[in-house]
Amino acid sequence: MTIIGEVAAARAFCETARAGGGSVGLVPTMGALHAGHLSLLRRSVAENDVTVVSIFVNPLQFGAGEDLEAYPRGLSDDAALCAAEGAAAVFAPTVAEMYPAPPVTSLDFGGLSAVLEGARRPAYLSGVGVVVAKLFAVVGACRGYFGEKDWQQLAVVRRLAADLSLPVEVVGCPTVREADGLALSSRNAYLASAERAAAPVLYRALSTGVKRIEAGERQAPAVESAMAEVLAAEPRLGPVDYACVVDAATLERREPLVGELRLLVAAQLGGARLIDNLPATVPPP
Ligand code: AMP
């Protein structure tokens, strides 16, 4: 496996792979790799001739006061994991290599970026959009692997690829969880042990919401109250940003609940801001 630091070298690597008839899979990450990332990597290795894992803590997607400096970094461990899983290359550029000049380009995803994470973290989705567009531009025609864990990010990336006719197939991959339901996240490293013990409350709240829908509830406020009640019962949990159910593709509210839905939650727990989500489907009457 090769570790590539330059944009031009990454582009040449992928062009060479395609010129030989190979397909390219791209797994964009910010490093601190865990089993969630590795599930994306394994899927890409299974589906493509060549897999490139990008490791880049993207400053554009962090807002003021967020954890850009504290974000865990460890390139040599990450590269060893990528090699063991069969990646052909790790693309790990510096900030100066990715952004020789501070980008002035920003991206607006309309209603998709106005709600949920977009409402709380104004830099996040535009920053993700710019870096993902840039990675697709560097790598070229490929399949791009993204986790459902970051549902709104996945929705935005799908629209980015479709709206701009990028030569990319966006592949969504299911969330990998600990045995107690906590979604794996690099930010879980911020949790002290008592907070770690409390963290599965997000999954319990989401599961409660899903069960209410499966039991026939069709009013979003009732589902959301049920989730809020579960969250409120955990005294260690800090402020809840949202606990809601929306249309899975548009992220808009649906009344009554019908079609492909997504339940999403975000809350502060100690030093970590945790997000998670689960699907629910209501067939049309
Ligand atoms: P990150 O390094 O946090 O930017 O994540 C890189 C990619 O891994 C994103 O597409 C995430 O959605 C995905 N990812 C992160 N955590 C998980 C998880 N627990 N299960 C599946 N995918 C994940």
Side-chain angles (χ1 to χ4, degrees):
M1 192 194 74
T2 172
I3 300 180
I4 301 173
E6 285 80 42
V7 164
R11 180 172 282 137
F13 182 88
C14 296
E15 277 170 2
T16 303
R18 277 187 302 269
S23 60
V24 175
L26 170 66
V27 183
T29 81
M30 297 203 298
L33 301 184
H34 51 63
H37 298 114
L38 298 186
S39 72
L40 273 54
L41 171 48
R42 282 188 199 122
R43 175 128 178 226
S44 176
V45 167
E47 294 179 354
N48 300 282
D49 299 299
V50 163
T51 289
V52 177
V53 180
S54 66
I55 297 180
F56 180 61
V57 181
N58 174 33
L60 282 193
Q61 70 190 71
F62 287 76
E66 293 186 1
D67 57 344
L68 174 61
E69 277 78 33
Y71 199 85
R73 291 163 169 90
L75 181 58
S76 56
D77 287 356
D78 287 343
L81 285 169
C82 291
E85 294 294 345
V90 163
F91 175 46
T94 61
V95 173
E97 176 69 15
M98 278 296 263
Y99 303 124
V104 295
T105 302
S106 61
L107 288 166
D108 184 334
F109 299 95
L112 273 186
S113 55
V115 296
L116 305 170
E117 292 303 290
R120 273 83 188 167
R121 305 178 59 204
Y124 167 55
L125 291 162
S126 175
V128 164
V130 169
V131 80
V132 170
K134 185 143 180 149
L135 289 168
F136 285 154
V138 171
V139 167
C142 67
R143 294 193 183 90
Y145 294 81
F146 295 84
E148 293 182 353
K149 158 77 169 42
D150 300 283
W151 183 259
Q152 190 172 11
Q153 172 173 293
L154 174 58
V156 157
V157 169
R158 284 193 198 285
R159 287 307 305 258
L160 176 76
D163 290 355
L164 303 186
S165 300
L166 301 179
V168 165
E169 181 188 336
V170 175
V171 182
C173 303
T175 301
V176 177
R177 300 176 180 282
E178 305 276 10
D180 61 9
L182 175 64
L184 297 191
S185 165
S186 306
R187 291 189 166 102
N188 293 349
Y190 302 152
L191 297 171
S193 70
E195 293 156 3
R196 170 64 190 83
V201 70
L202 273 71
Y203 181 68
R204 288 204 307 279
L206 291 166
S207 303
T208 298
V210 170
K211 280 191 205 114
R212 289 291 294 265
I213 295 171
E214 286 172 353
E217 181 59 63
R218 296 293 176 261
Q219 302 304 315
V223 173
E224 291 167 354
S225 303
M227 290 196 281
E229 209 172 293
V230 175
L231 295 170
E234 174 46 68
R236 289 192 196 85
L237 200 65
V240 174
D241 278 344
Y242 52 82
C244 62
V245 53
V246 293
D247 181 272
T250 65
L251 308 182
E252 286 167 1
R253 298 192 69 81
R254 297 222 53 161
E255 292 289 358
L257 295 172
V258 68
E260 296 300 322
L261 305 168
R262 209 78 193 181
L263 294 83
L264 302 105
V265 58
Q268 193 72 30
L269 181 57
R273 184 172 176 283
L274 302 179
I275 61 171
D276 199 356
N277 65 85
L278 280 179
T281 305
V282 175

